[in-house]
Structures are given as C-alpha cells and as structure tokens.
Amino acid sequence: MRGAELFAGCGGLALGMSRAGFSHALMAEFDHDAVETVLHNRRRRIKHVAQWPMELTDVRAIDWTDHIGDLDIISGGPPCQPFGIGGKKRGHEDTRDMWPEAVRAIREAAPKAFLFENVRNLAGPRFQSYLEWIILHLRFPNDTPRPGEGFNEHRERLRNSSKPGDYQVVWQVVNAADYGAPQIRHRVLIFGVATELEAAPSPMIPTHSRDRLLWDQYVTGDYWRRHGLRGRANPEMARDRSRVEFLRSQETAPDGLPWVTVRDALVGLGEPTGVGNHVFQPGAKAYKGHTGSPLDLPAKALKAGDHGVPGGENMMVRDDGTVRYFSVREAARLVGMPDNFDFPRSWSETMRQLGNAVPAQLGEAAGCWMKKLLRSADNNAVNRAVA
C-alpha cells in the first residue's frame, strides 16, 4: 500500500507506517535539520529509510492533483506549536497552523484514508471548537470556506450540512505507552476512510497496559527476574498499592502486554560509551516539576523546547537515585528508532527532533490498524462485485 507523509520530522511516524507495510510516494518536511537527519540515514541505507523520498518541502507548494488515485493513505502530524501546552496557544490564528494544508491534501489527492496526529491539548476545552472544525472539514474536504466566511461560520455550516460526508472520521486521545512505546506520550489521533469504501473507522484498542506491568512487577515478580534484580517484588514498593492488591485478588493476569519500561528499552546499552550517539551529556539536575523518569515505568514524554531541551527533563533516575540526561541513543530507543539510525546534529537539536517525533511504536500500531481497515474495505468490494 502506498502513502504520503506530511510534516515528517525525523521520521517517527513514517518509520511506524513503513513497518506496518506502507511505502511512501512522497515525504514532506520544512525543517532543514530534520530533513538532513533523514537524508543522512538514507545515504547509509538504513532499513525502510533507504526508500524514503524525503525532500525539504513546504507543503503549501505541493500540487496534490499529481497524486490523485495514487495514494491509499496520507499521514502526518501538523505542527503542534499552535496547540501545545508550552506554546502561545493561538490555535488557528497562528501562522504555523498547517491543518488547512492537511485538509487541502485530502481534498486534492482524494486518498482512500488518512491518519493525522497532534498534541493532546488539541482536544482540550480551549481548542474544542477548532478540533470540531478539523473533523468536519476532513469529513467534507471539498466544502471550503466561502468568500468572507469566518472560521466559526464555516464550522456551523459544515455541522448543519445534510450532505453525506466524503470521509467517515473518528478521533481519540491515546497514550503511546498503551501501544508498546516506552514513553508516556498522550496524542490525538484522527482516522478517516473514504465513505464509498463502506469501512467505517473505529478507535484503536490498546495492546499494552499499566495493570499488566504491575502484575509482572508486584504480583508474579517476573519483571524483576527478567532483569536479574532481587528483592523488589514487594507490593509496598508499588506506586499504587491498592491497585496491586486488587490485581492480586483477580488471580489471573490482565489481558494484553505490559507497558514497556525505560529499563526494558535500554537493555544492553549500559552507561554512555561516547560511541554511536551514546554520549554522556552533563548538567542534569532534578528540581520541582523536573524529576526525571524512573527506570521501571515508561519514560515521561520527551520534550522539545524552543531552545533545545527544557532544563530538568529528558533525564533518567538511576537505581542509586542520581539523575542524568538520556543520551541520544537512549532517547532514540524511547522513540522506537533502530540503533543504526544515526543523528548527525548536536545533542540539543537532536533531542528537539526526538521530542517532536511520534513514537514509531505508536505509528506502527496505528498503521497496522489502518491497513487492516483498508484490507477489509477491499474484501467488502470484492464480495459486492461477486454478489
């Protein structure tokens, strides 16, 4: 199946989509450093990346009519700064808001499906009306604002439309840890499928859980044994003792897989060696609100500040209670990038790219979800033709 990737960054979502079985006809990114990171790895013939048609591209310059009938899916993460917790929160008034361009891509290329992601804050009260407009406009991508029609008027008109939508659209807030990423990262996912395919999208079902991690840690102790550690299988050590006691009372393990922890993700790396992006970064300090990530939970969300990494985050809390910054190689593992994916830029610039990246584990789960849906649509079409 063929796709196009918008706002590709250093390739987290694109890598997940590639692992799910999608090839890319187009990849667009406007940030020079992120593009150079991908091109560097393309030259090194890294799996999947070697076939990526990544270019330094302003999405506003793309003529999507060149891709009509060519794409099964368009995916991407429009810039989140207009909606992020740390930004100015100007939403659709921010010149960096690229949601209209995402809608234009759907309107002009008419793919079978789309998958977009953004920060959880987009689903918050401040931007509720804009999220509603995004969903409605993706449902009716050909119904553009009329001359002089403001944002709210357009939204109301779309909401009251009696026409069938061109796409069926659903959205949900997900935690990347619930899909195998060793990182607590909440995102909004928006799925759409062409109405004519008669395969309505539905929210993704989590595959991993905190309950199963607590079970393995504090009920059976399997987690500690797997890591060669002793003396930790005590419910008193659990963050939520009452939850552990409840799980004990159930007598059977929760469904699904356990959350992947920092300790799980970093197996085999050891302390920074100075080789292969695994370089010690000095200066880590814990203070109120910036306490680092415990080893035996998924990491806190990697962050990307305006000037690199915020002062006290993007660091681990080691077994002795001391803290240090994640090396680039460690952070890349938290995002799901392979160990041979190289980051040629500075630590602060690379951490900015990784902090903006969709965890590849979440991207792969979402890609597989959409691929299954599209295959179901194809089967439905065959069955209708036979009938």
Side-chain angles (χ1 to χ4, degrees):
M1 292 185 175
R2 287 171 63 79
E5 183 82 12
L6 303 181
F7 321 107
C10 67
L13 179 57
L15 182 60
M17 297 295 286
S18 292
R19 288 172 175 168
F22 289 95
S23 62
H24 290 84
L26 178 151
M27 289 182 66
E29 172 54 51
F30 190 59
D31 181 82
H32 177 269
D33 289 302
V35 172
E36 284 302 309
T37 293
V38 172
L39 294 181
H40 173 78
N41 286 280
R42 190 171 73 185
R43 289 190 292 268
R44 298 176 64 241
R45 309 298 296 172
I46 302 303
K47 184 178 180 181
H48 299 304
V49 182
Q51 284 76 45
W52 284 357
M54 172 69 101
E55 300 291 345
L56 183 65
T57 307
D58 186 335
V59 296
R60 291 168 292 192
I62 297 174
D63 182 356
W64 287 102
T65 59
D66 291 340
H67 298 278
I68 293 176
D70 185 41
L71 301 175
D72 292 291
I73 195 166
I74 290 178
S75 56
C80 62
Q81 292 91 338
F83 312 98
I85 293 174
K88 297 180 180 179
K89 304 179 181 67
R90 296 183 61 204
H92 69 281
E93 296 177 351
D94 195 310
T95 57
R96 295 170 296 179
D97 176 26
M98 290 289 113
W99 279 108
E101 286 300 313
V103 176
R104 183 177 71 86
I106 304 306
R107 177 169 62 251
E108 294 183 2
K112 293 179 181 178
F114 55 79
L115 164 63
F116 293 119
E117 67 81 33
N118 214 267
V119 291
R120 175 173 57 174
N121 210 38
L122 180 62
R126 185 184 185 104
F127 300 115
Q128 188 174 44
S129 62
Y130 195 56
L131 176 59
E132 182 185 18
W133 175 83
I134 291 170
I135 301 302
L136 287 168
H137 205 2
L138 287 169
R139 185 183 173 198
F140 300 100
N142 293 297
D143 198 339
T144 57
R146 295 168 179 168
E149 186 175 48
F151 154 71
N152 286 314
E153 290 78 13
H154 188 218
R155 175 169 54 88
E156 285 297 316
R157 182 164 59 79
L158 293 176
R159 179 195 292 166
N160 295 321
S161 176
S162 60
K163 299 182 298 183
D166 297 302
Y167 289 87
Q168 297 188 66
V169 186
V170 298
W171 68 274
Q172 67 182 116
V173 177
V174 300
N175 179 359
D178 291 340
Y179 301 91
Q183 189 180 163
I184 301 292
R185 193 173 185 87
H186 296 94
R187 308 296 284 184
V188 171
L189 294 184
I190 301 175
F191 304 95
V193 178
T195 301
E196 65 183 9
L197 297 181
E198 299 183 10
S202 59
M204 290 171 58
I205 299 172
T207 55
H208 296 62
S209 74
R210 178 174 180 267
D211 275 356
R212 182 56 194 262
L213 176 61
L214 289 174
W215 176 275
D216 285 3
Q217 288 177 330
Y218 301 110
V219 178
T220 68
D222 288 344
Y223 174 86
W224 309 113
R225 286 189 288 274
R226 186 168 74 249
H227 287 289
L229 300 170
R230 296 182 179 181
R232 305 197 182 199
N234 183 343
E236 296 291 326
M237 298 180 66
R239 285 174 173 264
D240 187 345
R241 189 188 315 172
S242 63
R243 189 63 184 172
V244 172
E245 292 304 323
F246 170 77
L247 292 171
R248 281 183 177 274
S249 72
Q250 301 304 295
E251 298 184 352
T252 58
D255 292 337
L257 299 170
W259 273 358
V260 180
T261 69
V262 174
R263 195 186 299 274
D264 289 329
L266 303 189
V267 164
L269 273 182
E271 287 295 302
T273 60
V275 177
N277 287 146
H278 195 28
V279 179
F280 175 75
Q281 180 70 23
K285 294 180 180 180
Y287 52 92
K288 185 177 180 180
H290 297 276
T291 54
S293 296
L295 292 177
D296 298 309
L297 287 169
K300 298 177 181 179
L302 296 179
K303 294 180 180 178
D306 289 340
H307 304 287
V309 178
E313 278 299 349
N314 292 3
M315 61 187 184
M316 67 168 67
V317 182
R318 293 182 285 193
D319 285 325
D320 63 1
T322 61
V323 298
R324 70 165 172 81
Y325 284 121
F326 288 118
S327 72
V328 166
R329 186 80 278 137
E330 290 168 332
R333 281 200 179 185
L334 299 180
V335 175
M337 311 301 277
D339 284 350
N340 61 351
F341 190 100
D342 191 38
F343 291 88
R345 290 326 205 218
S346 68
W347 181 79
S348 59
E349 166 56 29
T350 296
M351 294 299 281
R352 183 188 68 80
Q353 292 178 29
L354 289 169
N356 282 326
V358 177
Q361 301 94 334
L362 176 60
E364 182 175 2
C368 288
W369 191 256
M370 294 303 292
K371 187 176 181 180
K372 181 179 178 180
L373 192 64
L374 288 170
R375 283 181 170 171
S376 174
D378 289 340
N379 291 335
N380 291 341
V382 170
N383 292 335
R384 287 194 301 271
V386 172

